[in-house]
Amino acid sequence: MKKILFFLLSLWMAIVLQAQPKQEIRAVWLTTNPNAVDWPTSKNETNQKSSLIEILDKLQAANFNTILFQVQSYGDVLWDSGIQPWSYHLTGTPGKAPNYDICAFAIEECHKRNMEIHAWVVPYRVGSNSYVTKYDDCALPHVYKVHPEMCVNYDNAWYLDPGLPEVRKYLVDLYETLVTKYEFDGINLDYTRYPHANFDDGDSFKKYGGGANRDDWRRENINKFVYELYDMIKSHNPGMKLGVAPIGCYKRIPGYSGWYAYSDVFQDPCDWAEKGKIDLIIPQLYWDESSGYSAHTKTWIDNCNGRQLVAGLAAYKMTESPYWQTSVVIDQIEKMRKNNPATCGVSFFRTNYILGENAKIKDLYNQLKDNYFKYPAHIPVMPYNGVTKPDAPVNVKASVNTSTKESTISWDVPERDENNTSIRYYSVYISESPDIEIDNVENQVAHIVKENTFTYTLPDDKIYYFAVTAFDKGYYESGLSNVVKVSASAGLMDADIKPVRFIVEGDWLRIDTQETVVSVHIYALSGTLMAHGDISEINIGHLSRGAYIVVVTVNNGKIIKYKMIK
């Protein structure tokens, strides 16, 4: 018992110190907006391609795994939509297409680097008075000119009126051209709200309000658009995600002031989550603790209905305020990790404030690359879309070149499960113990392998153990394959060591091991004991969805730990 308590104390200390999660969204906004541009900074195709590659290489080096790529700014776009004109800052000419397919190029380059890429769109905000007139002479003019009946001018800028059913159809049709043409991993909505309570939608309210409360009617207008967009996306590509970046304050919190999504701009992402019409929420939590960073985060956690929740962080403020140091951003990352899995990652606004030359920006990048993002992370799973469990790779083999110390690991593709779930990639693990802890990111010697072979140079003449897991299209991981034992001096020593397997089936957790199980303890991440038993099967039906630590003691006194996701 003392040994177990000592282990748990060590485990909880690791949690407190914010060990890197194995699954975590590490995202950054990449703007193409001419008023705040990360890319492109040249009109030349070759320069555009090389600069985007350079950006992605630097982000990959710091283990970012998600790019939010802006494809729409102010009623102009980065794809051939046939509905809105090409953005002028690509070629310098409004409405002119570049000589290459920007979206296809960006998708290909992100996927080469094992990054997800989400198309960032801005539906309602369509540009200032001076901006929209740039497109007056285009073959495909700006929407304010093509459909003036759908637009409202507010504060010297144009907006599509969310209260018009024809606006919803126009936007869904527009984004359908994007969804059907490209294999983006997701669509991410920005500025999906009213600009202000004083927005002049009197005509549409009179026509369509139906006697409803105006605030409720406005929220429902946005709701209907999101519902219809979600359904359209899933009808074409069920695996494509829909995300949203709402303003950071959801509802009013005593002691804090500011703009609130729900009451001030009629944006209710938590309704979308409750209705199952959103996959990912990235609230723009662009404050420090004095303005309620943690308090607002808790409000989102309490209301996001189990959807993926990613903290939007204001890296840009490091260049705006002497008080906004790198330590503010790092502290917010640590607080996000304390809430994991309720919060499952961070997203930085924006790329120039991760890769720029400012001293504080360089410090943040280096701290991410060398410490907080030192080890790569997998994309978190979405249990609300269905839990799957791929079969483990089979027939893992190893060969060792004793002169070069190179060990080549190979395996056979596992059979498809009953749902015919395809394998996305494999991970390879190494340990000095046959009981390989796959939740320890330091044991993951190959994060993503898309073939069924991997070569690794052994660091010394010690005995090492390798095993492989498979990840399916939903980022669910299989159990371990058979374990192989090698050394640089002796070569292959054993090719069929049976790993301990933790199998969740319905309301039961089963521990499959060749040794005798003495005790099983299941703990919440807080350290609270949630279940225990003294045989290899334990009922977990009473546990709520989330992450737990399983501690198993076997007959030789050995303790095996496992992070269980239910």
Side-chain angles (χ1 to χ4, degrees):
M1 179 57 71
K2 288 183 179 179
K3 192 174 182 181
I4 292 176
L5 291 175
F6 176 79
F7 160 72
L8 288 173
L9 179 60
S10 300
L11 177 65
W12 296 331
M13 283 296 290
I15 292 170
V16 170
L17 292 173
Q18 301 308 305
Q20 290 186 33
K22 185 175 177 178
Q23 292 187 313
E24 180 176 72
I25 292 173
R26 299 168 180 174
V28 64
W29 301 89
L30 199 160
T31 62
T32 61
N33 180 336
N35 295 329
V37 65
D38 293 321
W39 178 91
T41 56
S42 167
K43 304 296 187 290
N44 177 273
E45 175 185 340
T46 300
N47 292 343
Q48 287 182 1
K49 288 181 174 180
S50 62
S51 63
L52 184 59
I53 286 171
E54 182 181 4
I55 287 170
L56 296 178
D57 283 345
K58 289 179 179 178
L59 293 171
Q60 181 188 25
N63 287 320
F64 279 80
N65 60 18
T66 303
I67 306 299
L68 304 173
F69 184 69
Q70 188 172 20
V71 298
Q72 183 183 35
S73 295
Y74 301 105
D76 49 359
V77 297
L78 269 62
W79 79 97
D80 186 8
S81 71
I83 296 174
Q84 289 190 349
W86 281 95
S87 297
Y88 79 90
H89 55 285
L90 299 173
T91 63
T93 302
K96 181 180 179 181
N99 293 325
Y100 70 106
D101 190 325
I102 287 178
C103 289
F105 179 75
I107 291 168
E108 180 183 7
E109 292 300 323
C110 283
H111 288 172
K112 278 182 187 177
R113 293 161 178 78
N114 300 313
M115 295 172 169
E116 284 203 349
I117 177 170
H118 296 215
W120 163 17
V121 298
V122 187
Y124 295 114
R125 184 189 66 190
V126 294
S128 66
N129 292 341
S130 60
Y131 191 94
V132 300
T133 56
K134 294 177 186 294
Y135 296 92
D136 281 356
D137 297 327
C138 294
L140 180 60
H142 196 277
V143 64
Y144 96 101
K145 190 171 183 179
V146 177
H147 292 292
E149 76 284 358
M150 298 196 308
C151 299
V152 174
N153 196 279
Y154 172 78
D155 196 22
N156 296 314
W158 290 96
Y159 296 85
L160 290 169
D161 185 351
L164 296 174
E166 53 266 39
V167 165
R168 290 200 301 276
K169 183 179 187 308
Y170 170 86
L171 289 171
V172 172
D173 288 348
L174 170 67
Y175 298 137
E176 189 170 26
T177 68
L178 183 67
V179 168
T180 56
K181 188 171 184 178
Y182 297 106
E183 290 295 324
F184 281 104
D185 299 288
I187 305 295
N188 207 277
L189 293 167
D190 188 20
Y191 216 104
T192 308
R193 57 180 176 86
Y194 282 78
H196 196 277
N198 294 334
F199 183 74
D200 184 9
D201 57 356
D203 289 345
S204 56
F205 180 61
K206 181 178 179 181
K207 186 173 182 179
Y208 296 108
N213 172 277
R214 192 165 189 160
D215 290 0
D216 292 338
W217 175 76
R218 284 175 164 176
R219 276 187 290 271
E220 189 60 18
N221 292 332
I222 305 293
N223 292 349
K224 287 177 180 177
F225 163 63
V226 174
Y227 301 164
E228 292 176 18
L229 177 63
Y230 180 90
D231 290 343
M232 179 274 291
I233 291 171
K234 300 300 181 178
S235 72
H236 291 293
N237 187 344
M240 186 179 287
K241 304 170 190 177
L242 179 61
V244 63
I247 63 174
C249 309
Y250 175 46
K251 291 186 176 180
R252 298 192 181 278
I253 300 175
Y256 298 101
S257 60
W259 251 20
Y260 291 86
Y262 184 85
S263 55
D264 292 325
V265 293
F266 317 106
Q267 182 181 51
D268 192 4
C270 297
D271 170 89
W272 314 337
E274 183 180 7
K275 299 294 195 306
K277 299 296 185 181
I278 203 80
D279 296 305
L280 174 67
I281 302 176
I282 312 176
Q284 299 171 40
L285 295 161
Y286 295 168
W287 315 282
D288 59 12
E289 285 300 336
S290 66
S291 299
Y293 171 82
S294 291
H296 289 297
T297 299
K298 184 178 186 305
T299 301
W300 288 108
I301 291 172
D302 291 344
N303 291 279
C304 73
N305 291 282
R307 259 40 190 177
Q308 284 187 347
L309 181 62
V310 172
L313 303 185
Y316 70 92
K317 287 193 173 180
M318 294 190 302
T319 66
E320 294 183 354
S321 169
Y323 305 107
W324 200 278
Q325 298 296 322
T326 307
S327 58
V328 174
V329 180
I330 294 301
D331 177 66
Q332 292 176 342
I333 294 172
E334 292 178 344
K335 286 173 177 172
M336 176 278 298
R337 286 180 172 173
K338 284 182 181 178
N339 290 317
N340 185 283
T343 51
C344 64
V346 292
S347 182
F348 299 94
F349 190 83
R350 54 187 170 86
T351 298
N352 274 357
Y353 299 101
I354 295 297
L355 303 182
E357 294 300 316
N358 176 279
K360 287 194 284 187
I361 292 172
K362 286 185 174 181
D363 180 43
L364 175 61
Y365 176 83
N366 288 332
Q367 288 206 49
L368 295 175
K369 180 171 68 72
D370 299 333
N371 186 359
Y372 288 87
F373 292 176
K374 180 178 179 179
Y375 300 100
H378 300 278
I379 299 295
V381 299
M382 297 187 295
Y384 40 85
N385 284 340
V387 176
T388 54
K389 185 73 171 180
D391 290 336
V394 295
N395 300 324
V396 175
K397 305 177 183 69
S399 62
V400 180
N401 184 326
T402 55
S403 61
T404 64
K405 296 186 179 181
E406 285 187 342
S407 179
T408 298
I409 313 300
S410 63
W411 56 92
D412 292 339
V413 177
E415 292 185 5
R416 299 277 184 106
D417 63 12
E418 64 273 13
N419 297 317
N420 199 34
T421 305
S422 60
I423 300 302
R424 184 184 287 266
Y425 56 76
Y426 303 93
S427 284
V428 181
Y429 297 86
I430 188 173
S431 176
E432 295 181 26
S433 165
D435 298 315
I436 300 175
E437 298 175 18
I438 66 173
D439 290 310
N440 182 347
V441 292
E442 295 183 30
N443 290 336
Q444 194 168 252
V445 70
H447 175 60
I448 293 176
V449 180
K450 293 187 177 178
E451 304 300 328
N452 62 338
T453 185
F454 173 72
T455 298
Y456 177 73
T457 301
L458 297 168
D460 48 46
D461 288 336
K462 292 179 181 178
I463 293 173
Y464 288 97
Y465 299 85
F466 284 99
V468 186
T469 63
F471 283 76
D472 67 17
K473 61 183 180 181
Y475 297 102
Y476 283 94
E477 186 177 18
S478 72
L480 275 176
S481 67
N482 58 293
V483 178
V484 295
K485 178 181 179 181
V486 301
S487 82
S489 57
L492 177 63
M493 302 173 69
D494 194 338
D496 197 23
I497 301 172
K498 303 298 183 187
V500 177
R501 301 186 191 277
F502 293 82
I503 303 167
V504 176
E505 295 178 329
D507 290 341
W508 291 88
L509 169 64
R510 178 165 57 87
I511 298 95
D512 184 5
T513 175
Q514 294 178 319
E515 298 164 312
T516 302
V517 172
V518 174
S519 67
V520 181
H521 293 77
I522 301 178
Y523 296 86
L525 296 186
S526 63
T528 303
L529 179 65
M530 305 300 294
H532 64 90
D534 56 6
I535 57 175
S536 60
E537 291 189 3
I538 186 168
N539 190 292
I540 57 172
H542 63 288
L543 300 181
S544 58
R545 189 173 67 85
Y548 299 87
I549 301 298
V550 182
V551 182
V552 177
T553 305
V554 294
N555 58 327
N556 60 5
K558 182 169 62 179
I559 294 174
I560 304 164
K561 62 181 184 290
Y562 172 70
K563 184 177 180 181
M564 178 182 74
I565 305 294
K566 183 174 184 291

